[in-house]
Amino acid sequence: MAVNRSAEPPTASAAQTPAAATPAVLSVSPASGSSGGGTTVTITGTGFTGATAVRFGATPTPSFTVLSDTQITATTPLGTGTVQVTVTTPIGTSNQFVTFSYVATPAPALTSVSPTSGPPAGGTSVTLTGSGFMGATAVRFGGVSASFVVNSASQITAVAPAGSGTVQVTVTGPGGTSNGVSFTYTSVSAPVLTSVSPTSGPPAGGTTVTLTGTGLATATAVRFGSTPATSFTVVSDTHITAVAPAGTGTVQVTVTTAGGTSNGVSYTYALAPTLSGIIPNQGPTSGGNTVTLTGTNFTGTTAVTFGSTPATSFTVVSPTQITAVVPAATAGPVGVTVTTPGGSATLPSAYFYVSAPVLTGVAPLSGPLSGGNTVTLTGIHLVEATAVRFGAIPATTFTVVSDSQITAVVPAGAAGLADVTVTTAGGTSNPVTYTYLPAPVVTTVVPNQGPTAGGITLTLTGTNLAQATQVLIGTDPAGFTVVSDTHLVVDALPGAVGPVGVTVITPGGTSAPVTYTRVGAPGI
């Protein structure tokens, strides 16, 4: 494993692992470099493990990395002439005469500055292009020093100090001072930015934004932070379109003209969203229900789609949560997509459109007010049933037998018709009619006595008799005819002498018995 060490010797308490032998330096590549230092060289030899110092002559390297027991990379310090390269470990210091030659560093050369002008107050960010910039020690506008950053051997970014007229920009390095390139302090007003639209985009860049402001017609640069726009087009003195470069976080967008550099307006590199869940994950084909999406980086969401259909509406609750109203669609699964300035995230087959249930029948069609009886519902799309209701009253219990059948225990209800419905994630079914029937009541039987041989007709009077399914004399079923809801005609059955109860059974229940008496024939 490579070990990076500073040029400082270790403290007395630092843990050290002795190498097997005194280090030996066999070669240095390249064998020469700038007297200004900064050349990266590879030192080859033996016994380098645990190296504590690398020196070029008597000068320690600014930094070095032990790649292996036989190889070290190091950065050369400042120097002159030809010097011996040595490696020191806890065992000792190499003594082979392997050398590195310092070559006189040429003065930096300056080819251009951009922009070439700025306001007298200074503050313009200027890009200097040329060569020999490594190790630069000063950038001057005329005789005034500027703050600067060396980007590479061929580029420096400097901030123009205050000044007037036309001055020469120069770079000073280990090899001397460069030629001068003109920079003019002009009284042209600096541009002013008022807005950027959109205000965010993906870290990869590529977003086209519109900058609005004043004094933009002579723009020479558009920057996002310190990074130049990928490209830009001056539309008018008040508008520029620019393509955002890659970046991170929130940066200030600026425009530079001959009058200087504008104020900054914020542009945010938004992270791409992630989508991890949707609750509930199914609903009716008609849509209209609200779901909650969870994930990350939802701020600034511009679209939520179900399959290819946009959500009816959506609300960004937080960076990790969105509520959306589901649009209508055909039955089946669809992917859900969230789009933000940072990109898009899709959860495949995340939401299922469920067909609404359809009821075709209920059997039996009626039952008692007290409920408790079991009915069978038939239809289609019933397998996802979450509720069965008789009117507004939930079934006591229900069992999904199949996609086309449910059995349900009827709850108590009021006399009359009740709409039976089934609810699933797909919605609520059409109603089928179920009738709550009051129990029958028999008030009289005429005649109230007859022969043991039967054979006569009895008339029962009462209420709620129209739905009669059985008439019992004692425990024996008798033939009967429904005349109306208040009258039944019943065939008397033969039987033993004495009283028996007559009862009527309907889906609404069983009546209280009335007494019919069988009388024996008179004796002779």
Side-chain angles (χ1 to χ4, degrees):
M1 177 181 295
V3 178
N4 182 266
R5 299 181 182 274
S6 68
E8 297 300 323
T11 63
S13 60
Q16 300 177 350
T17 302
T22 301
V25 174
L26 303 180
S27 66
V28 175
S29 178
S32 62
S34 169
S35 59
T39 302
T40 299
V41 300
T42 299
I43 303 169
T44 303
T46 60
F48 291 165
T49 300
T52 57
V54 174
R55 292 181 175 84
F56 286 71
T59 307
T61 177
S63 66
F64 68 92
T65 300
V66 179
L67 302 178
S68 68
D69 193 58
T70 60
Q71 193 171 81
I72 291 174
T73 58
T75 301
T76 61
L78 295 171
T80 58
T82 298
V83 296
Q84 182 182 8
V85 179
T86 59
V87 173
T88 300
T89 72
I91 297 302
T93 299
S94 63
N95 60 6
Q96 295 73 29
F97 195 71
V98 175
T99 62
F100 179 84
S101 297
Y102 284 101
V103 178
T105 304
L110 190 56
T111 57
S112 66
V113 297
S114 178
T116 59
S117 60
T124 303
S125 179
V126 180
T127 300
L128 284 60
T129 304
S131 61
F133 291 164
M134 296 306 296
T137 56
V139 173
R140 292 182 176 87
F141 284 64
V144 182
S145 295
S147 62
F148 66 95
V149 175
V150 177
N151 302 321
S152 68
S154 60
Q155 187 180 84
I156 290 176
T157 300
V159 178
S164 61
T166 298
V167 298
Q168 296 298 301
V169 180
T170 59
V171 176
T172 299
T177 298
S178 73
N179 57 301
V181 174
S182 296
F183 180 87
T184 302
Y185 287 97
T186 174
S187 59
V188 177
S189 298
V192 175
L193 284 181
T194 55
S195 67
V196 56
S197 178
T199 58
S200 58
T207 302
T208 298
V209 301
T210 298
L211 304 176
T212 302
T214 57
L216 308 181
T218 60
T220 56
V222 174
R223 291 183 175 85
F224 287 69
S226 60
T227 307
T230 303
S231 64
F232 69 92
T233 301
V234 177
V235 179
S236 68
D237 193 55
T238 58
H239 289 88
I240 290 176
T241 59
V243 177
T248 58
T250 298
V251 298
Q252 296 298 303
V253 182
T254 58
V255 173
T256 300
T257 68
T261 298
S262 72
N263 58 299
V265 289
S266 295
Y267 179 84
T268 300
Y269 286 97
L271 296 175
T274 65
L275 187 55
S276 56
I278 178 170
I279 298 175
N281 63 357
Q282 58 182 4
T285 54
S286 60
N289 54 309
T290 299
V291 298
T292 299
L293 309 178
T294 54
T296 60
N297 305 320
F298 288 161
T299 299
T301 293
T302 56
V304 175
T305 56
F306 289 73
S308 60
T309 307
T312 303
S313 64
F314 66 89
T315 301
V316 179
V317 179
S318 72
T320 60
Q321 189 177 94
I322 293 173
T323 58
V325 177
V326 181
T330 56
V334 296
V336 179
T337 301
V338 172
T339 300
T340 73
S344 296
T346 299
L347 204 57
S349 301
Y351 185 82
F352 201 98
Y353 282 97
V354 180
S355 297
V358 177
L359 284 180
T360 54
V362 55
L365 294 169
S366 56
L369 304 182
S370 60
N373 54 310
T374 298
V375 297
T376 298
L377 305 176
T378 52
I380 56 174
H381 309 314
L382 307 181
V383 74
E384 296 286 340
T386 56
V388 175
R389 291 182 175 86
F390 288 72
I393 304 172
T396 303
T397 61
F398 68 91
T399 300
V400 177
V401 179
S402 67
D403 192 52
S404 60
Q405 189 177 96
I406 292 175
T407 59
V409 177
V410 182
L417 303 179
D419 287 336
V420 183
T421 57
V422 172
T423 299
T424 70
T428 298
S429 71
N430 59 295
V432 291
T433 302
Y434 176 83
T435 305
Y436 281 98
L437 296 175
V441 176
V442 178
T443 54
T444 62
V445 55
V446 178
N448 62 2
Q449 60 180 8
T452 57
I456 65 172
T457 300
L458 309 178
T459 298
L460 304 183
T461 301
T463 57
N464 306 319
L465 305 180
Q467 301 294 325
T469 57
Q470 197 170 41
V471 176
L472 299 178
I473 300 178
T475 59
D476 299 319
F480 68 94
T481 301
V482 177
V483 178
S484 68
D485 195 49
T486 58
H487 290 89
L488 296 178
V489 175
V490 180
D491 298 327
L493 300 176
V497 172
V500 294
V502 180
T503 54
V504 176
I505 299 173
T506 73
T510 301
S511 68
V514 294
T515 301
Y516 172 74
T517 303
R518 292 188 181 97
V519 180
I524 297 178

